[in-house]
Amino acid sequence: MNILELHDVSMIYGQVQALRDITLSVRQGEWLAIMGASGSGKTTLMNIIGCMNKASLGSVILDGENISRLNAGDLTAIRRDKIGLIFQQFHLISYLTAVENVMIAQYYHSMADEKEAMQALARVGLEQRARHLPRQLSGGEQQRLCIARALINYPKLILADEPTGNLDETNQSTVLDIFHQLHAEGSTIIVVTHSPEVAAHAGRTIRLEFGRMLDDSAWKETPPDSGS
Amino acid sequence: MNRYAMFSKIVLSSLARRRSRMLVALLAVGIGGTVFLGMGAVYYDIPRQMGREFRSYGANLILVPAGEEASLSLEDAARATALLPAEQLIGATPFRYETMYYNMQGLTVAGADLEAARKTSPYWQVEGDWPRTDEEVLAGLDIAEHIRLYAGSSVTLEIAPPEGRRFKKELRVSGVVRSGGAEDGFILMPLRGLEALLGNPGRANVVEISIAATGEQISLLAEEIRAVVPEVTPRLVRRIADSETTVLNKLQVLVYLVTAVVLFLTMICVGTTMMTVVMERRREIGLKKAIGAGNRAIIAEFMGEGLTLALAGGILGSFSGYFFAQAVSLSVFGRGVTLPFFLVLLTLGASLSVTILASLIPVTRATDVEPALVLRGE
Ligand SMILES: Nc1ncnc2c1ncn2[C@@H]1O[C@H](COP(=O)(O)OP(=O)(O)OP(=O)(O)O)[C@@H](O)[C@H]1O
Ligand SMILES: [Mg+2]
């Protein structure tokens, strides 16, 4: 079953056509990498998939629902229920502790539950750091905290925009290990990366150039995921 | 953890864990609250304070005989003064004027309730003593200079009662009074002493009343006296009653103006501070939206922070406003203010409303922030 389908999606910012006629399907449980030069439209695509922007043209079907015509309020609700976001710059709330940063996502979703938030921290190896503020955490720890927050509401789709862009080798492999676990558990993951090494962990890679989708490694190099 | 607990945690952590520009808003609301409560207290207290203050300028209501009568009865006067609110009545002094002779020269002797006169005419200055017996008198300053009277001297007056023979009486001068008014040309003595000399007791030519009330209120009271006691005619001492009212009105308008200006300035300051804070926090707002916060949650958090500060500012302002009003009142009127509790509530209400009003536009700006900016790393 496809969790995500894009049909002829274009994104136009004034004179700039950031995306042109993107058609893409992502199956449930797939791990997809998106590569491409700077300015090729990767983040633009993630913003559309993540319900943060609406496409100028084309349709987007997420989990069976056409989201391309929804208003901002409905998009917020879908983002809250179905998407887990991980950013290159971590983006944590500076005045909340690690566990509170996870709980605030629960709070916006439904109900803050400290116990569950602690379990999520334990999962990324941060249970000892629960009462620390983000600035007291290392870069790798901040990114793991960001992952714990992204996972807390059981999203159908995990979106990560250069999650390892600011991390060293060790932290990068820690993060990739967590992704492997999530993938093994059946999560759908879409990762934007500049690094072929990171992309190699994904089951499938697509490339963007000047807003066009160039190739789809799934069809060339690897057989389609057996689905899960 | 329930929603309110998490909400207060977010709001309070944001306030406590970063040196927020919003503290400027706290300061603004605090200062606004100070002026608001201070002005309120003064506004509330001024008529009472000033009323008492003005009462040192003498009578503001007099009773004279009705129609062609030359004198009125003290009983009627007492019925009339009984109509005045006791807590506002400073005093009522009956005066009876008679002519007596000194070396064949006529002079006016005023018999008065001197105890009451000390209240209705507190500005009289007496050199020597006030009369202690009915046979002692006060000499008006002009008379005293004219015929050389002084405290401790005596004066012999020739008295012509309406019935019976003329006779002479020696009276002791206990002191010399300086009033700056007509009394300076009179001999003043206790009304009972005058009655003992001339008979016909229980009558007066005029009753001077001093009452702590506004010109408007006095007019109403005068109407009532006219209706209930037709034997006396009440008259406002216009000059004093009117100028009191004018001064009070002007002061109250001034208080209104200052309060309005201060509230407006507070609102501008809170508004621009909030706007700056929203701009500074665009990334955080975008992030919150990206992880699922709706507009309501964003508004609630901003308003939560703003109103917490406004409440703190209002409480702070109430305290310092009270001390401000107290200091003003002590230095101007020489007595403290009475602060009604509703003024504190009003101050808190004003702080909160000003903050809400000032935050409307900034908060709308906050909801306009797009979550997409987070991924773009702006
Ligand atoms: N809000 C916007 N307004 C105007 N142009 C935009 C906007 N967002 C993106 N663009 C343009 O769209 C194009 C694609 O941008 P995008 O951020 O998707 O690139 P990217 O592939 O993520 O690049 P990078 O690797 O540097 O992050 C760029 O030319 C960019 O300038
Ligand atoms: Mg990008």
Side-chain angles (χ1 to χ4, degrees):
Chain A
M1 180 200 157
N2 287 333
I3 182 120
L4 178 71
E5 284 176 28
L6 278 68
H7 298 287
D8 295 324
V9 168
S10 293
M11 189 66 173
I12 297 155
Y13 293 114
Q15 302 292 322
V16 183
Q17 185 155 14
L19 292 176
R20 291 164 204 255
D21 304 324
I22 304 283
T23 296
L24 172 71
S25 300
V26 178
R27 270 186 296 277
Q28 180 110 45
E30 210 174 353
W31 181 350
L32 174 74
I34 300 175
M35 294 192 73
S38 184
S40 58
K42 306 181 296 293
T43 298
T44 304
L45 184 58
M46 288 297 246
N47 273 331
I48 290 172
I49 298 171
C51 300
M52 302 209 273
N53 270 157
K54 274 195 273 187
S56 314
L57 295 169
S59 63
V60 180
I61 292 151
L62 178 66
D63 199 22
E65 188 173 2
N66 190 338
I67 60 167
S68 32
R69 296 290 164 261
L70 296 180
N71 65 28
D74 295 332
L75 286 179
T76 299
I78 293 186
R79 194 160 62 230
R80 180 164 63 209
D81 294 338
K82 301 192 172 165
I83 309 283
L85 286 169
I86 299 163
F87 317 96
Q88 179 174 4
Q89 337 276 4
F90 319 141
H91 291 310
L92 296 161
I93 292 175
S94 62
Y95 53 85
L96 294 180
T97 61
V99 67
E100 288 162 359
N101 260 286
V102 177
M103 284 160 73
I104 196 173
Q106 295 178 308
Y107 163 75
Y108 290 140
H109 181 264
S110 48
M111 190 76 115
D113 180 344
E114 187 162 2
K115 224 175 178 183
E116 210 181 10
M118 286 303 290
Q119 285 165 4
L121 286 182
R123 169 146 201 206
V124 296
L126 283 181
E127 66 271 41
Q128 301 303 321
R129 300 276 173 176
R131 306 288 162 202
H132 288 59
L133 291 173
R135 64 167 174 276
Q136 298 166 320
L137 301 176
S138 74
E141 287 166 338
Q142 289 188 43
Q143 191 58 299
R144 280 186 275 151
L145 174 54
C146 195
I147 295 171
R149 180 180 64 191
L151 299 181
I152 193 67
N153 295 319
Y154 306 103
K156 297 237 159 153
L157 187 56
I158 296 165
L159 300 182
D161 196 349
E162 307 220 21
T164 56
N166 282 348
L167 299 181
D168 63 11
E169 293 274 326
T170 330
N171 281 309
Q172 173 172 312
S173 60
T174 314
V175 166
L176 287 173
D177 283 348
I178 297 171
F179 279 10
H180 273 292
Q181 277 178 41
L182 294 171
H183 181 59
E185 290 163 14
S187 294
T188 311
I189 305 170
I190 300 179
V191 181
V192 164
T193 182
H194 276 119
S195 150
E197 192 189 335
V198 172
H201 289 262
R204 172 183 165 202
T205 302
I206 62 168
R207 256 166 231 290
L208 294 183
E209 200 177 287
F210 302 117
R212 282 183 210 281
M213 214 169 103
L214 271 193
D215 54 27
D216 192 333
S217 66
W219 308 113
K220 287 181 183 169
E221 290 152 27
T222 53
D225 265 29
S226 47
S228 46
Chain B
M1 185 182 278
N2 75 39
R3 293 198 70 73
Y4 296 107
M6 189 65 202
F7 174 74
S8 3
K9 175 151 258 166
I10 294 169
V11 167
L12 296 179
S13 302
S14 173
L15 287 173
R17 289 197 190 135
R18 55 177 160 190
R19 261 181 286 119
S20 172
R21 216 172 277 273
M22 265 202 206
L23 289 172
V24 176
L26 170 78
L27 204 67
V29 173
I31 292 170
T34 304
V35 177
F36 187 87
L37 187 109
M39 283 292 166
V42 171
Y43 179 85
Y44 178 78
D45 237 31
I46 268 187
R48 303 185 314 127
Q49 302 269 25
M50 292 294 277
R52 301 246 157 213
E53 201 73 10
F54 275 123
R55 293 299 80 244
S56 55
Y57 299 122
N60 49 2
L61 177 68
I62 59 173
L63 302 178
V64 295
E68 302 295 303
E69 293 294 317
S71 65
L72 52 83
S73 88
L74 291 182
E75 265 172 48
D76 291 337
R79 280 202 293 138
T81 41
L83 295 171
L84 306 172
E87 69 281 1
Q88 282 170 277
L89 185 65
I90 310 283
T93 311
F95 285 88
R96 172 174 167 188
Y97 302 107
E98 297 291 350
T99 305
M100 296 186 188
Y101 301 89
Y102 176 80
N103 283 348
M104 310 300 284
Q105 229 179 310
L107 52 83
T108 305
V109 176
D113 178 346
L114 292 179
E115 279 307 308
R118 295 175 81 147
K119 290 187 203 147
T120 52
S121 304
Y123 56 93
W124 287 1
Q125 291 170 12
V126 170
E127 206 171 293
D129 293 320
W130 287 75
R132 260 173 294 224
T133 70
D134 290 349
E135 304 209 337
E136 286 181 317
V137 301
L138 285 173
L141 185 66
D142 296 344
I143 290 270
E145 277 178 1
H146 194 60
I147 57 179
R148 301 228 168 72
L149 300 177
Y150 48 89
S153 68
S154 59
V155 57
T156 304
L157 295 175
E158 192 178 345
I159 300 152
E163 292 140 35
R165 288 187 335 116
R166 289 183 164 227
F167 63 97
K168 289 191 175 179
K169 177 81 184 174
E170 186 179 325
L171 298 166
R172 208 182 86 87
V173 177
S174 68
V176 174
V177 63
R178 178 225 208 54
S179 75
E183 294 83 0
D184 286 356
F186 300 162
I187 298 282
L188 282 154
M189 67 184 297
L191 182 56
R192 262 184 303 154
L194 190 73
E195 288 171 342
L197 294 177
L198 282 163
N200 198 16
R203 301 202 71 81
N205 299 99
V206 61
V207 178
E208 291 189 4
I209 296 172
S210 176
I211 180 166
T214 60
E216 243 171 87
Q217 200 194 349
I218 297 175
S219 298
L220 289 175
L221 290 169
E223 283 307 314
E224 198 181 343
I225 290 174
R226 215 185 298 278
V228 178
V229 192
E231 294 84 358
V232 305
T233 301
R235 290 224 181 106
L236 267 70
V237 181
R238 280 276 168 211
R239 196 172 45 80
I240 290 175
D242 284 355
S243 62
E244 268 186 59
T245 313
T246 319
V247 169
L248 283 182
N249 284 345
K250 282 186 178 161
L251 273 174
Q252 295 188 334
V253 167
L254 187 71
V255 166
Y256 276 136
L257 273 180
V258 170
T259 308
V261 166
V262 167
L263 283 184
F264 183 71
L265 289 181
T266 305
M267 200 162 92
I268 297 284
C269 183
V270 172
T272 47
T273 307
M274 281 300 221
M275 196 55 119
T276 314
V277 169
V278 167
M279 287 333 240
E280 277 179 350
R281 296 191 189 169
R282 288 179 71 231
R283 179 194 278 257
E284 176 190 317
I285 296 165
L287 169 67
K288 284 178 171 172
K289 285 189 156 188
I291 63 175
N295 285 341
R296 270 216 244 136
I298 300 288
I299 292 173
E301 281 165 38
F302 260 101
M303 282 298 188
E305 281 189 50
L307 292 184
T308 306
L309 286 181
L311 198 66
I315 292 170
L316 213 77
S318 294
F319 272 107
S320 60
Y322 176 69
F323 289 115
F324 168 67
Q326 194 74 14
V328 167
S329 188
L330 278 176
S331 70
V332 175
F333 302 114
R335 47 192 274 183
V337 283
T338 37
L339 183 73
F341 185 65
F342 80 85
L343 264 182
V344 175
L345 294 182
L346 209 64
T347 306
L348 295 184
S351 307
L352 295 181
S353 340
V354 162
T355 306
I356 290 176
L357 270 182
S359 306
L360 286 181
I361 296 174
V363 161
T364 322
R365 274 312 146 76
T367 61
D368 287 343
V369 171
E370 286 189 18
L373 70 81
V374 189
L375 276 184
R376 267 191 245 120
E378 264 177 35

